[in-house]
Amino acid sequence: MNITYEHKPAMTFIGYSTSIRPEEGCTKCPEFWDKEYAQKYARLWQTMQPETPMEKAILENGVGLFAICDEKEGSFEYWIAGLYKGGEVPEGLKLYTFPESDWAMFSTKGPLPGSLQALNTRVWQEWYPKEGQKYRGNGNAMLEVYSPGDMQSPDYECGIWVPICKPLEQSEKETAEIVSTMTITGIL
């Protein structure tokens, strides 16, 4: 598991989604990709000639290079998405915006879905309880990032990006400075 931290401006994605219960994620997410993406758009990927406004938007915005996991109460909204470049949002697609944020960006190599599922487990069982405790989440969603290429190759690269806020240590330090100042000036 490789990790980098990077600041990114607000990012808007275009795609479509389904609601999935967390305990079903490992099976339902790959099923959603197969039923709602691979099967429906197999002809599009062979011809690269869109025949509908939705197919045009899928090609122009790279829908399929990202997935969004947006946590809800008792479920999460799972999106197949692309980085929105503007233009028409055809019926059946919708937009999702992440605010400007710092990101913890994890990457791995290996065939899908196993490599991404293993990375997800490592992020939440290894990074989050340790290094991740230094940060606050910036919203309830995260990104899965896919590269072009053979998704069954042992060299296939993919990742998980988690939006984060500044380290808690800095927030605690700022709070301590405020309390100290208030004490010195007699406010406290």
Side-chain angles (χ1 to χ4, degrees):
M1 173 173 74
N2 299 315
I3 180 171
T4 58
Y5 296 92
E6 190 174 315
H7 186 82
K8 298 245 180 224
M11 296 183 288
T12 299
F13 293 85
I14 185 170
Y16 50 95
S17 66
T18 189
S19 184
I20 297 175
R21 293 193 334 245
E23 64 273 13
E24 297 178 327
C26 284
T27 57
K28 295 292 184 184
C29 291
E31 285 176 12
F32 186 58
W33 278 98
D34 187 47
K35 287 181 184 174
E36 297 298 323
Y37 189 74
Q39 288 179 11
K40 282 187 177 179
Y41 300 107
R43 185 212 50 81
L44 177 63
W45 301 127
Q46 291 170 355
T47 66
M48 299 303 279
Q49 299 294 317
E51 295 179 357
T52 66
M54 181 181 266
E55 288 180 349
K56 182 177 185 235
I58 285 171
L59 277 180
E60 289 177 352
N61 296 285
V63 172
L65 292 176
F66 297 90
I68 301 168
C69 301
D70 186 12
E71 187 178 325
K72 306 289 183 191
E73 188 160 330
S75 69
F76 63 94
E77 197 72 14
Y78 187 75
W79 290 62
I80 295 174
L83 196 55
Y84 180 59
K85 296 178 182 166
E88 180 185 351
V89 178
E91 186 175 332
L93 296 178
K94 52 190 175 180
L95 300 177
Y96 186 98
T97 300
F98 284 94
E100 178 179 352
S101 185
D102 291 323
W103 291 79
M105 300 162 49
F106 306 88
S107 61
T108 192
K109 287 185 179 184
L112 291 179
S115 62
L116 191 69
Q117 291 173 346
L119 178 62
N120 187 62
T121 298
R122 291 186 70 197
V123 166
W124 300 113
Q125 290 182 0
E126 294 176 23
W127 175 80
Y128 182 73
K130 297 174 186 154
E131 181 75 14
Q133 292 301 304
K134 295 180 183 176
Y135 303 94
R136 292 188 312 253
N138 190 3
N140 293 325
M142 64 173 213
L143 276 173
E144 295 173 358
V145 182
Y146 301 96
S147 61
D150 179 2
M151 294 181 167
Q152 296 308 306
S153 167
D155 294 323
Y156 181 75
E157 295 184 26
C158 59
I160 292 174
W161 295 3
V162 179
I164 56 175
C165 292
K166 67 180 170 177
L168 289 176
E169 292 173 349
Q170 289 180 5
S171 297
E172 291 168 2
K173 182 180 177 188
E174 290 170 3
T175 301
E177 289 173 0
I178 292 168
V179 170
S180 176
T181 301
M182 292 173 81
T183 302
I184 290 169
T185 58
I187 296 172
L188 287 179

